[in-house]
Amino acid sequence: FLPMRIKYLLFALLLFPIARIAGENTTQIKAYSLSVELASHVNPFGSVVYLTTYDGLSSHPLLTSEGNISEELSPSSANPSHYQADYMIFTGSTMIEYGSMTFRMPSTDSNNNGVYDWLEVSNATNISVGGSIDVQWPSSSIAIVPIYASFQRAAGVSTGSVSYTYDIDTGDGTVSVSAVTSWQVTNLVGELVYDASRNLQLEASAASYGGSYSLSGSSTYTSQSEGTLQIKRAQLTNQLGNYVLAPLDLARSGYSYKGLATLDDGVTGTNWPDFTDWYVILTDTNDADGDGIPDLTDATSSGTATFTPGGWNYLSWPWAYSDSDQAWLYFSAVGNAVVLWRQKDGKWYMPQTGNPAWVAIH
């Protein structure tokens, strides 16, 4: 088998740096994978335990013809704090058992950001949880076996260790089985750049097993109200393949926009959807008019609150006609500074030092 490390992830242009142009604003974006990677490992009997995406079926667990698996531990649709994976146990090339396992993970969210504490890289994790193993083959008569696990991870580190224990009845007595493996959370951190034409470019990265993984892409956005943000469907790419980000509907809380995000598939090396569910937090501190509403969705703001005059058909001070605006500009002076009034949005602007863009002042 070729265990798949998590080589997917949201929103990036690290491979192709964003060209900054006048009229753009930069915000912070964080994306948290709601799935974690639980590594395949050897049990005390010398057999290999392979983990793959839970499919809810009692048939053979998901596996590609090349032997690829996902090592995904994902939240249950019925109970998001219950995390599930299918497993296969092999001795040599012979499969001797398969089934599923469930861990009851804590739902604590200390900072109320919408993400469980144990899923955030910035938080240390030291939790003991219970769960169950459902043996589905070669015999379902074993039924449900309790399992106990300890998940540990240092703050600021994405990879930690898992130790687990369960008891099995061999017919000749009870045998306690213990094993240790690794697990990994994925948090992407980066930038989102938007402009007055409602174009977006998305940039973020995450550390994974000593490496850094990224995607590149762009999209557009709309806003039905100052409290909501809708990002349209996006095509994302990286060196491993192509990904589709479903439309996002984010709700504003102060300067942040939060909500669920969905990828069509998070791991291109498998032929089933995995690592699809994410939670996104977008923080925009750009607030040109100081009303507490980010420029991204502020109906009374100029959007990015910047403007680049140019493309004159006619120029005669103090009035100038802007071909790009298809409207008039009026130039004046305040103290030692030049200002202009823009007919298109009814705002006053001042030039930015060393930048062709002008910023709204009223």
Side-chain angles (χ1 to χ4, degrees), residues 111-360:
N111 59 7
N112 296 311
N113 68 346
V115 181
Y116 296 152
D117 288 350
W118 65 275
L119 288 174
E120 294 195 57
V121 169
S122 59
N123 295 327
T125 299
N126 185 5
I127 53 176
S128 295
V129 302
S132 59
I133 298 175
D134 182 2
V135 181
Q136 297 165 346
W137 185 88
S139 172
S140 61
S141 61
I142 301 176
I144 306 299
V145 178
I147 184 172
Y148 304 93
S150 174
F151 286 75
Q152 297 181 326
R153 182 176 51 77
V157 180
S158 61
T159 303
S161 65
V162 180
S163 58
Y164 65 85
T165 301
Y166 62 93
D167 294 335
I168 58 174
D169 186 353
T170 64
D172 295 323
T174 300
V175 176
S176 182
V177 179
S178 299
V180 177
T181 186
S182 64
W183 67 296
Q184 178 175 271
V185 296
T186 302
N187 296 181
L188 290 136
V189 179
E191 294 180 343
L192 179 146
V193 178
Y194 65 92
D195 62 26
S197 298
R198 296 183 176 264
N199 297 307
L200 299 175
Q201 292 180 314
L202 307 158
E203 174 179 329
S205 66
S208 178
Y209 284 95
S212 180
Y213 302 95
S214 62
L215 292 177
S216 62
S218 60
S219 185
T220 59
Y221 74 95
T222 60
S223 179
Q224 302 302 318
S225 71
E226 292 180 334
T228 63
L229 175 67
Q230 294 79 37
I231 298 178
K232 296 185 178 180
R233 180 180 182 272
Q235 181 77 40
L236 307 174
T237 61
N238 70 4
Q239 68 272 34
L240 297 175
N242 299 315
Y243 310 80
V244 175
L245 174 65
L248 280 73
D249 195 348
L250 307 180
R252 184 176 68 83
S253 175
Y255 285 110
S256 295
Y257 302 83
K258 304 176 182 179
L260 296 172
T262 304
L263 285 178
D264 65 328
D265 191 10
V267 176
T268 57
T270 59
N271 52 12
W272 59 85
D274 43 19
F275 296 94
T276 59
D277 298 329
W278 298 74
Y279 193 81
V280 171
I281 301 175
L282 182 78
T283 302
D284 184 14
T285 56
N286 298 290
D287 184 7
D289 55 12
D291 63 354
I293 301 172
D295 292 340
L296 188 58
T297 60
D298 192 347
T300 62
S301 171
S302 61
T304 61
T306 58
F307 156 68
T308 305
W312 315 122
N313 277 344
Y314 172 76
L315 177 61
S316 178
W317 295 76
W319 289 93
Y321 184 79
S322 169
D323 185 53
S324 57
D325 268 12
Q326 296 291 294
W328 289 89
L329 306 175
Y330 174 78
F331 289 79
S332 186
V334 175
N336 295 322
V338 175
V339 296
L340 69 80
W341 177 81
R342 189 184 185 196
Q343 181 187 14
K344 184 174 182 178
D345 59 14
K347 294 182 181 294
W348 286 94
Y349 289 78
M350 291 186 69
Q352 299 182 72
T353 303
N355 193 319
W358 294 52
V359 63

Side-chain angles (χ1 to χ4, degrees), residues 1-8 33-42 48-54 62 68-75 82-88 99-105 118-119 125 127 129-133 147-153 158-166 179-186 208-209 267 272 274-275:
F1 289 92
L2 302 174
M4 297 295 297
R5 300 302 184 197
I6 305 178
K7 306 195 172 55
Y8 37 80
S33 175
L34 300 185
S35 291
V36 300
E37 183 177 359
L38 188 60
S40 301
H41 54 282
V42 178
V48 182
V49 182
Y50 295 102
L51 287 305
T52 193
T53 302
Y54 177 79
L62 294 169
N68 290 342
I69 53 177
S70 63
E71 298 186 334
E72 179 184 22
L73 182 65
S74 58
H82 288 191
Y83 272 65
Q84 302 170 305
D86 283 343
Y87 73 90
M88 296 167 281
S100 64
M101 59 177 61
T102 301
F103 296 102
R104 297 184 294 272
M105 306 299 289
W118 65 275
L119 288 174
T125 299
I127 53 176
V129 302
S132 59
I133 298 175
I147 184 172
Y148 304 93
S150 174
F151 286 75
Q152 297 181 326
R153 182 176 51 77
S158 61
T159 303
S161 65
V162 180
S163 58
Y164 65 85
T165 301
Y166 62 93
V180 177
T181 186
S182 64
W183 67 296
Q184 178 175 271
V185 296
T186 302
S208 178
Y209 284 95
V267 176
W272 59 85
D274 43 19
F275 296 94

Side-chain angles (χ1 to χ4, degrees), residues 4-24:
M4 297 295 297
R5 300 302 184 197
I6 305 178
K7 306 195 172 55
Y8 37 80
L9 319 179
L10 291 176
F11 313 151
L13 277 176
L14 295 182
L15 301 179
F16 308 98
I18 296 175
R20 300 291 192 260
I21 61 174
E24 290 183 337

